[in-house]
Amino acid sequence: AQSVAQPEDQVNVAEGNPLTVKCTYSVSGNPYLFWYVQYPNRGLQFLLKYITGDNLVKGSYGFEAEFNKSQTSFHLKKPSALVSDSALYFCAVRDWGTYKYIFGTGTRLKVLA
Amino acid sequence: NAGVTQTPKFQVLKTGQSMTLQCAQDMNHEYMSWYRQDPGMGLRLIHYSVGAGITDQGEVPNGYNVSRSTTEDFPLRLLSAAPSQTSVYFCASSPPDEADEQFFGPGTRLTVL
């Protein structure tokens, strides 16, 4: 069965510093991986996805993610964090065959001024 | 396009009452799903549909019913509300291609007393 894990409940980073939010996955076959962001009292918004091709994927708001097949990871990164990046971030994988999306438990990012 | 809409935004029920959470999308997406979000649990899939007339159970289907009579609408019914169903509910839709991301509604916050 497909699954994703987000090992950190919360990540704190100072404004201007680089940030990383971790995600590891377990899939059979080629993975379709996604990152979403949720701001307070809002629905989830799509940030970026990995389907195939370049291991470094660029997305919205300056975020990027690095796909690493050998480490089965898909970490979300940003070179310079903003206070406005503070939100809840979810990693997800789409299950082949059933079309279901499977979400991680989320990581709360706090960017400190 | 309005995207994915959900009504109501907030609802308070008493134990044993029934209600329907409405979800509609105007993007002609085949795939629709319902999630509940609880603190520390991430997003858990309740039911999903890969097209009109086709529904299937997700991870936590007990106590909920769905139907998909049109491509646009995917209502979620609570048959006899219980306090354990207090949660924030999100509806999402996507095109059928496995590489496509989901679009989320703004959510319904449900409290069952």
Side-chain angles (χ1 to χ4, degrees), chain B residues 4 19 41 46 69 73 88 93 99 103:
Chain B
V4 180
M19 79 159 294
M41 305 289 288
I46 304 171
S69 55
D73 300 298
V88 181
S93 74
F103 294 78

Side-chain angles (χ1 to χ4, degrees), chain B residues 53-90:
Chain B
I54 306 169
T55 64
D56 207 345
Q57 296 182 349
E59 187 184 349
V60 287
N62 291 342
Y64 307 95
N65 272 0
V66 291
S67 59
R68 184 96 181 268
S69 55
T70 67
T71 299
E72 294 78 21
D73 300 298
F74 191 43
L76 178 72
R77 296 182 188 83
L78 280 70
L79 309 172
S80 177
S84 60
Q85 294 178 304
T86 294
S87 188
V88 181
Y89 291 85
F90 289 101

Side-chain angles (χ1 to χ4, degrees), chain A residues 6-75:
Chain A
Q6 295 181 244
E8 302 155 317
D9 289 337
Q10 181 162 317
V11 170
N12 294 332
V13 64
E15 187 174 32
N17 281 4
L19 68 88
T20 299
V21 182
K22 295 180 181 176
C23 173
T24 58
Y25 66 89
S26 173
V27 304
S28 52
N30 294 326
Y32 289 161
L33 296 160
F34 302 82
W35 276 103
Y36 292 83
V37 60
Q38 185 182 32
Y39 297 103
N41 301 312
R42 304 284 295 275
L44 277 69
Q45 296 176 34
F46 168 74
L47 274 180
L48 51 79
K49 63 184 176 184
Y50 173 82
I51 304 302
T52 187
D54 272 345
N55 290 342
L56 187 64
V57 178
K58 294 192 182 297
S60 306
Y61 312 122
F63 283 93
E64 56 192 27
E66 187 171 9
F67 173 71
N68 188 316
K69 189 170 184 177
S70 63
Q71 296 186 4
T72 62
S73 66
F74 188 54
H75 300 333

Side-chain angles (χ1 to χ4, degrees), chain A residues 32 36 38 49 94 99 101, chain B residues 37 96-97 99-102:
Chain A
Y32 289 161
Y36 292 83
Q38 185 182 32
K49 63 184 176 184
R94 197 163 197 190
Y99 294 94
Y101 294 84
Chain B
Q37 184 179 22
D97 192 289
D100 286 315
E101 63 272 19
Q102 288 189 109

Side-chain angles (χ1 to χ4, degrees), chain B residues 9-86:
Chain B
K9 284 191 176 356
F10 302 94
Q11 184 70 49
V12 178
L13 292 178
K14 294 181 179 176
T15 296
Q17 287 184 316
S18 63
M19 79 159 294
T20 299
L21 307 186
Q22 301 291 346
C23 174
Q25 51 91 10
D26 61 359
M27 298 172 282
N28 202 32
H29 287 168
E30 294 289 328
Y31 182 91
M32 295 186 75
S33 54
W34 276 102
Y35 298 89
R36 58 177 289 172
Q37 184 179 22
D38 303 291
M41 305 289 288
L43 286 171
R44 292 185 290 171
L45 182 65
I46 304 171
H47 286 284
Y48 67 103
S49 168
V50 297
I54 306 169
T55 64
D56 207 345
Q57 296 182 349
E59 187 184 349
V60 287
N62 291 342
Y64 307 95
N65 272 0
V66 291
S67 59
R68 184 96 181 268
S69 55
T70 67
T71 299
E72 294 78 21
D73 300 298
F74 191 43
L76 178 72
R77 296 182 188 83
L78 280 70
L79 309 172
S80 177
S84 60
Q85 294 178 304
T86 294

